[in-house]
Amino acid sequence: MDCDRSNITVLIVDNDDFSLEYLANILMALQYRVQSAKTAHQALVTLQDPEGWFDLIITELSILGMNYGFDFLKLIKNQFHIPVIMMSKENNVSLISKALENGAAQYIAKPFSAEDFKDIWKHVLDAKKEKLFVESLFVKNEEQETLSHETKTKKKACKRK
């Protein structure tokens, strides 16, 4: 199964100009819509813009303006609920594990290639499925509360009769 990548908007966050441009070119060649930011602050401003909607964020682990990228990752996951792919030159198991444990959807080691980003649309699809599942739980809870309230009202009416 494949996805229409042209409907997916990706925000890239990296303070290295070469990596930023190289990754943007890879993603655009794969037909993703791309926007970039050089610092965590710039990324947060971009994310808070009501005009911008992002399906996925790809960020360097050691970005400017945040403590080693993990704070940025937690903030994105908690406030914006957008899947995040972490990338770094550091390729040790403990760092990769920590990134994944903190909520990263994927970890990509630099130097990367186009092949590393070919299937990132799957993270967007998974996030949308999860969102639909959570929303359906809220709908079911609201329906149950409504039914419960109606049942209590009917019981009170019967007792009065």
Side-chain angles (χ1 to χ4, degrees):
M1 180 181 162
D2 208 349
C3 181
D4 183 8
R5 295 178 185 135
S6 64
N7 290 328
I8 296 175
T9 304
V10 180
L11 176 62
I12 307 168
V13 187
D14 196 331
N15 54 336
D16 176 25
D17 289 329
F18 178 77
S19 288
L20 199 61
E21 186 176 339
Y22 182 59
L23 181 53
N25 288 334
I26 287 173
L27 294 175
M28 287 186 289
L30 291 169
Q31 299 180 342
Y32 293 100
R33 288 182 284 165
V34 178
Q35 196 164 343
S36 60
K38 290 189 65 151
T39 66
H41 176 73
Q42 187 182 7
L44 292 172
V45 168
T46 301
L47 286 166
Q48 291 168 344
D49 181 358
E51 295 291 314
W53 172 254
F54 297 93
D55 300 294
L56 182 69
I57 297 173
I58 301 173
T59 183
E60 166 63 42
L61 182 60
S62 54
I63 58 171
L64 295 176
M66 285 279 172
N67 174 23
Y68 215 54
F70 293 119
D71 291 342
F72 183 68
L73 172 63
K74 288 177 186 175
L75 182 66
I76 297 303
K77 295 294 287 179
N78 293 333
Q79 188 173 346
F80 298 99
H81 310 288
I82 301 171
V84 177
I85 294 175
M86 303 291 287
M87 58 183 180
S88 178
K89 292 176 185 172
E90 298 182 47
N91 194 16
N92 67 56
V93 175
S94 65
L95 195 57
I96 295 169
S97 295
K98 187 173 181 182
L100 297 174
E101 287 169 7
N102 280 282
Q106 186 176 345
Y107 186 96
I108 296 174
K110 290 181 176 181
F112 48 75
S113 69
E115 190 67 25
D116 293 325
F117 298 94
K118 191 177 100 183
D119 293 330
I120 61 173
W121 60 268
K122 291 178 182 178
H123 299 298
V124 174
L125 189 63
D126 289 345
K128 287 182 180 181
K129 284 180 185 176
E130 184 178 319
K131 183 179 179 190
L132 288 173
F133 175 73
V134 169
E135 286 175 354
S136 73
L137 291 178
F138 284 116
V139 169
K140 286 179 185 176
N141 283 342
E142 287 175 2
E143 289 173 355
Q144 289 174 348
E145 288 174 10
T146 302
L147 289 174
S148 176
H149 178 70
E150 289 173 359
T151 303
K152 288 177 185 176
T153 305
K154 286 179 184 176
K155 284 182 182 177
K156 286 181 184 177
C158 288
K159 284 183 182 177
R160 282 187 228 146
K161 286 183 182 177

